[in-house]
Amino acid sequence: MSDIPVLADSVRITDDAVEILDRRVYPFEVRWVRCATSEEVATAIERMVTQSSGPLFAATAGLVLAARE
């Protein structure tokens, strides 16, 4: 199994946060940006941490955080 994330795995929901694969440095580095609130998810989207269809996955995960808040 490969350690290289695919687009569908570029956003992860954990028990207390959303982790977004930082596409600004990928593929040279695999770095995850941790967002603990829906506002942090919005900021990550604005800063283009996630690209292509990633903002859709990130926004959906942000809604999960908002519901938990």
Side-chain angles (χ1 to χ4, degrees), residues 11 41 45 50-61:
V11 177
V41 172
I45 293 170
T50 181
Q51 301 165 16
S52 185
S53 61
L56 173 63
F57 295 113
T60 303

Side-chain angles (χ1 to χ4, degrees), residues 8-50:
D9 298 325
S10 66
V11 177
R12 307 186 291 207
I13 300 173
T14 66
D15 289 338
D16 60 349
V18 170
E19 295 176 343
I20 303 171
L21 178 64
D22 193 339
R23 300 293 287 193
R24 299 169 299 181
V25 297
Y26 183 84
F28 304 105
E29 182 180 339
V30 176
R31 180 188 316 158
W32 294 88
V33 174
R34 185 177 183 282
C35 302
T37 66
S38 55
E39 289 83 12
E40 290 177 354
V41 172
T43 299
I45 293 170
E46 288 174 353
R47 293 183 178 162
M48 296 189 67
V49 170
T50 181

